[in-house]
């Protein structure tokens, strides 16, 4: 049984309080325990600020990139071990675990390359020089330099590896030391990963707090940053912290999202783009047992396509074998915790008050078949599909059910109505539009973009190669307005902005050039 360690003030320690237990969601067996009580959190913050920060800022961007490369390599070298831990503690299938662990290594490697390209400098220049007066000597330039504090990285339970990787890659390259605070229920993967990679950087650059150290954000002040991923309830608590408000601690929030997929009225059943739509829906509903912030929750379809679509989707979902992730052939494991299981079943119940249940994955429905596991043990729920008309009352535009659950919303199929329905989600991470009609796609861009951080357009030209919408790529922004938190992560260089101060330099042009070369 593991007792998860924390890396505080440069040394590995275990908490001394009543331990929190972490379980295997397939068997409900306890697999690890941890506690953050007794850890000196103030010392952790000041060690990161005073030791890690200066050491990291002294390095060039290329040198910081080399640290990220080393971290990515170590994750890759220990890939099998990490995958197995994700299967044990997260209920992930091996394929789900790869999505998380390889995603972490991929994000670190991507930013390692950006660091190499930025090269032998510690200043990131933003845009070209501007002439600010009549004389060309009067010049202006924007630069990014690291904030001189710590970045607290608070992650959700669903991506213990990638959640750290995507945030740490940007923070470390920008020049801020990080304190990683994984979600407790699935922290085994994050804790092991940090053991493997922390010493790739100088002491204090990477710290880890295992266990529910909910007071940690209260210790932050001027110059610090918090990158948070989790529920909007926790996000609201962080926003309201007096120290966060008074010291303008930079707070980036990645929260809930009622992601929608839109079917264009032009698509004929059986066409390449129709098949892409079905493939993506199946993946988004079942990958990681639907526990992805980017998973599709709302499926908007023209009324005259609903019947044939539902039949095809139910067929496809029927091929998803649910059970013990270690059993051959299983394609979907349990949700990650008992709490999560209760929330998903409760959420389906709430949706079902107004929607028809087309496919019922609830164990109580008696139709859930498991492979390698017993019904009644473990936190299983099968793919669940509901249906409602666009103008009927329902909770589909308000309630995020964080499991393998989606609702088909039947509509007239016009961009205007689709736009109104998208807006009712209150701001999302990713929207997807499937159509081979360019006019319809252009109209949907205008309707959908203001409500989303990312839009994916599926069409026949990309049908064979497209990534499904839930896949977050380091090149493109991740985040979204409104209920999604209003944050922005990744997106190449854009991802560094959270952790850096952008400063306009106004001076004579030769001086600016000289300072930037120094
Ligand atoms: P959560 O309960 O809000 O927890 C998220 C993190 O916050 C955990 O590390 C948790 O620690 C910590 N935390 C909880 N209360 C805190 C407090 N008062 N002060 C400081 N930290 C606190 O969310 P979750 O259940 O892990 O994640 C599910 C939610 O995350 C879903 O709604 C999903 O949509 C969202 N999500 C969003 C994204 C995105 O990128 N937008 C990605 C993944 C998930 P403990 O575990 O120790 O309590």
């Amino acid at each position: 049984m593991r007792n998860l360690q924390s890396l505080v003030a440069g040394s590995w320690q275990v908490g001394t309080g009543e331990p929190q237990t972490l379980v295997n969601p397939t068997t409900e067996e306890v697999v690890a325990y941890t506690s953050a009580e007794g850890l000196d959190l103030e010392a952790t913050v000041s060690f990161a600020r005073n030791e890690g920060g200066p050491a990291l800022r002294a390095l060039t961007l290329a040198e910081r990139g080399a640290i990220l490369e080393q971290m990515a390599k170590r994750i890759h070298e220990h890939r099998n071990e990490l995958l197995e831990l994700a299967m044990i503690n997260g209920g992930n299938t091996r394929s789900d675990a790869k999505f998380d662990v390889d995603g972490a290594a991929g994000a670190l490697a991507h930013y390692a390359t950006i660091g190499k390209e930025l090269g032998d400098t510690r200043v990131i220049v933003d845009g070209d020089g501007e002439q600010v007066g009549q004389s060309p000597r009067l010049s202006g330039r924007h630069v990014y330099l690291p904030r001189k504090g710590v970045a607290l990285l608070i992650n959700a339970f669903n991506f213990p590896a990638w959640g750290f990787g995507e945030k740490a890659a940007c923070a470390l390259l920008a020049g801020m030391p990080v304190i990683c605070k994984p979600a407790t229920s699935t922290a085994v993967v994050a804790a092991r990963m940090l053991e493997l990679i922390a010493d790739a950087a100088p002491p204090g650059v990477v710290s880890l707090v295992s266990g529910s150290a909910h007071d940690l954000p209260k210790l932050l002040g001027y110059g610090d940053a918090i990158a948070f991923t989790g529920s909007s309830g926790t996000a609201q608590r962080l926003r309201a912290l007096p120290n966060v408000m008074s010291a303008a601690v930079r707070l980036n929030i990645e929260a809930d999202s009622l992601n929608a997929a839109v079917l264009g009225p032009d698509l004929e059943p059986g066409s390449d783009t129709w098949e892409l739509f079905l493939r993506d829906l199946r993946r988004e509903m079942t990958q990681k047992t639907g526990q992805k912030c980017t998973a599709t929750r709302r499926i908007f379809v023209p009324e005259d396509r609903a019947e044939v679509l539902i039949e095809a989707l139910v067929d496809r979902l029927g091929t998803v074998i649910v059970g013990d992730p270690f059993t051959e052939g299983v394609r979907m494991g349990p949700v990650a915790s008992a709490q999560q299981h209760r929330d998903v079943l409760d959420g389906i119940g709430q949706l079902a008050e107004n929607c028809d249940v087309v496919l019922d994955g609830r164990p109580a429905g008696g139709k859930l078949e498991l492979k390698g596991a017993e019904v009644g043990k473990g936190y299983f729920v099968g793919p669940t599909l509901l249906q409602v008309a666009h103008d009927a009352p329902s909770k589909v535009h308000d309630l995020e059910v964080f499991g393998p659950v989606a609702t088909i919303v039947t509509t007239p199929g016009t961009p205007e109505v689709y736009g109104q329905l998208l807006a009712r989600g209150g701001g999302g991470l990713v929207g997807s539009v499937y159509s081979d009609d360019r006019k319809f796609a252009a109209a949907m861009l205008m309707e959908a973009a203001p409500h989303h951080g990312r839009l994916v357009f599926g069409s026949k030209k990309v049908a064979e190669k497209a990534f499904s919408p839930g896949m977050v790529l380091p090149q493109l922004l991740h985040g979204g307005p409104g209920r999604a938190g209003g944050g922005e992560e990744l997106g190449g260089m854009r991802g560094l902005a959270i952790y850096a101060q952008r400063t306009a330099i106004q001076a004579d042009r030769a001086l600016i050039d000289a300072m930037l070369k120094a």
Side-chain angles (χ1 to χ4, degrees):
M1 179 99 44
R2 287 162 194 264
N3 185 6
L4 302 187
Q5 302 188 87
S6 294
L7 179 54
V8 300
S11 74
W12 287 100
Q13 298 173 20
V14 289
T16 51
E18 183 67 25
Q20 296 173 272
T21 50
L22 286 71
V23 302
N24 178 335
T26 304
T27 60
E28 301 183 33
E29 284 160 3
V30 175
V31 293
Y33 54 98
T34 190
S35 169
E37 280 177 45
L39 300 175
D40 190 341
L41 301 180
E42 284 185 28
T44 307
V45 172
S46 69
F47 188 75
R49 261 193 210 130
N50 301 325
E51 301 288 332
L56 188 61
R57 291 193 297 272
L59 303 177
T60 64
L61 282 135
E63 288 167 333
R64 293 176 211 159
I67 290 175
L68 300 182
E69 189 178 359
Q70 187 57 237
M71 290 178 171
K73 268 195 191 142
R74 290 192 193 175
I75 292 172
H76 193 70
E77 281 161 15
H78 292 264
R79 183 173 183 255
N80 278 329
E81 179 192 352
L82 291 166
L83 295 182
E84 189 163 325
L85 292 176
M87 293 168 78
I88 292 170
N89 181 214
N92 291 190
T93 61
R94 194 172 161 85
S95 161
D96 290 342
K98 285 183 200 164
F99 194 62
D100 187 25
V101 172
D102 293 347
L108 289 161
H110 184 80
Y111 280 91
T113 306
I114 293 182
K116 198 180 279 179
E117 284 164 10
L118 289 168
D120 191 19
T121 177
R122 285 181 302 227
V123 185
I124 298 173
V125 178
D126 175 29
D128 296 330
E130 307 275 353
Q131 185 175 323
V132 296
Q134 288 193 339
S135 158
R137 281 198 197 160
L138 277 175
S139 188
R141 201 93 203 243
H142 292 90
V143 294
Y144 281 107
L145 283 163
R147 290 161 73 83
K148 290 194 167 181
V150 292
L152 173 60
L153 313 182
I154 304 178
N155 275 311
F157 71 85
N158 56 340
F159 283 104
W162 175 80
F164 167 79
E166 56 109 20
K167 287 178 167 50
C170 295
L172 297 178
L173 186 59
M176 278 192 96
V178 300
I179 300 174
C180 171
K181 154 68 192 89
T184 302
S185 60
T186 57
V188 172
V189 173
R192 178 65 185 132
M193 200 174 75
L194 270 282
E195 281 173 1
L196 294 168
I197 65 179
D199 71 357
V205 168
V206 175
S207 307
L208 166 70
V209 177
S210 296
S212 292
H214 290 181
D215 285 341
L216 200 41
K218 295 180 189 154
L219 301 177
L220 301 192
Y222 169 64
D224 296 328
I226 302 175
F228 169 79
T229 295
S231 63
S232 37
T234 307
Q236 279 174 27
R237 278 193 281 282
L238 293 175
R239 281 190 213 280
L241 287 176
N243 59 314
V244 168
M245 287 193 279
S246 64
V249 173
R250 192 162 288 176
L251 179 58
N252 192 80
I253 289 179
E254 302 291 338
D256 310 358
S257 184
L258 291 162
N259 310 298
V262 171
L263 182 68
D266 57 297
L267 288 188
E268 292 296 337
S271 65
D272 289 350
T273 311
W274 171 277
E275 291 300 316
L276 174 67
F277 184 60
L278 279 169
R279 189 199 75 188
D280 286 355
L281 290 178
R282 178 181 185 269
R283 175 166 303 158
E284 291 309 323
M285 284 183 67
T286 59
Q287 189 174 45
K288 294 217 107 219
T289 320
Q291 300 164 110
K292 289 192 307 186
C293 51
T294 50
T296 302
R297 308 286 174 205
R298 302 179 295 160
I299 305 167
F300 298 160
V301 301
E303 275 134 10
D304 62 355
R305 294 284 192 272
E307 199 180 325
V308 56
L309 180 84
I310 288 171
E311 197 180 323
L313 185 54
V314 168
D315 271 359
R316 290 190 186 212
L317 292 170
T319 64
V320 176
I321 298 171
V322 183
D324 177 350
F326 284 96
T327 302
E328 184 75 30
V330 166
R331 291 283 168 271
M332 193 173 93
V335 294
S337 67
Q339 181 61 47
Q340 186 57 20
H341 198 226
R342 282 192 291 274
D343 289 351
V344 171
L345 297 180
D346 175 66
I348 297 172
Q350 290 194 52
L351 291 177
E353 285 167 17
N354 304 95
C355 306
D356 294 331
V357 182
V358 178
L359 179 67
D360 194 344
R362 289 174 287 188
K367 291 200 185 133
L368 178 62
E369 285 178 20
L370 299 178
K371 189 165 181 192
E374 298 165 45
V375 177
K377 190 107 191 126
Y379 310 132
F380 290 98
V381 53
T384 299
L385 190 66
L386 300 101
Q387 181 187 1
V388 72
H390 74 101
D391 48 1
S394 81
K395 293 190 178 160
V396 65
H397 307 292
D398 303 308
L399 181 68
E400 182 200 47
V401 183
F402 208 59
V405 182
T407 304
I408 300 216
V409 180
T410 52
T411 78
T414 61
E416 295 71 28
V417 173
Y418 280 146
Q420 288 158 13
L421 294 173
L422 289 171
R424 287 179 62 190
L429 295 170
V430 59
S432 48
V433 177
Y434 296 78
S435 173
D436 290 322
D437 175 348
R438 290 190 172 176
K439 274 199 185 139
F440 174 79
M444 285 309 304
L445 173 69
M446 303 308 282
E447 294 289 347
H451 306 299
H452 292 92
R454 184 162 58 91
L455 283 177
V456 176
F457 290 87
S459 64
K460 63 184 172 204
K461 295 241 181 208
V462 293
E464 295 211 338
K465 298 191 177 79
F467 297 117
S468 72
M471 179 147 180
V472 176
L473 300 165
Q475 300 90 330
L476 300 182
L477 279 180
H478 174 57
R483 74 177 289 156
E488 281 191 352
E489 289 183 333
L490 300 172
M493 290 291 295
R494 296 169 189 85
L496 275 55
I498 306 167
Y499 309 101
Q501 177 60 38
R502 180 160 50 179
T503 304
I505 317 174
Q506 194 176 328
D508 85 65
R509 204 177 56 196
L511 174 60
I512 293 178
D513 290 347
M515 286 193 291
L516 295 184
K517 274 194 201 120

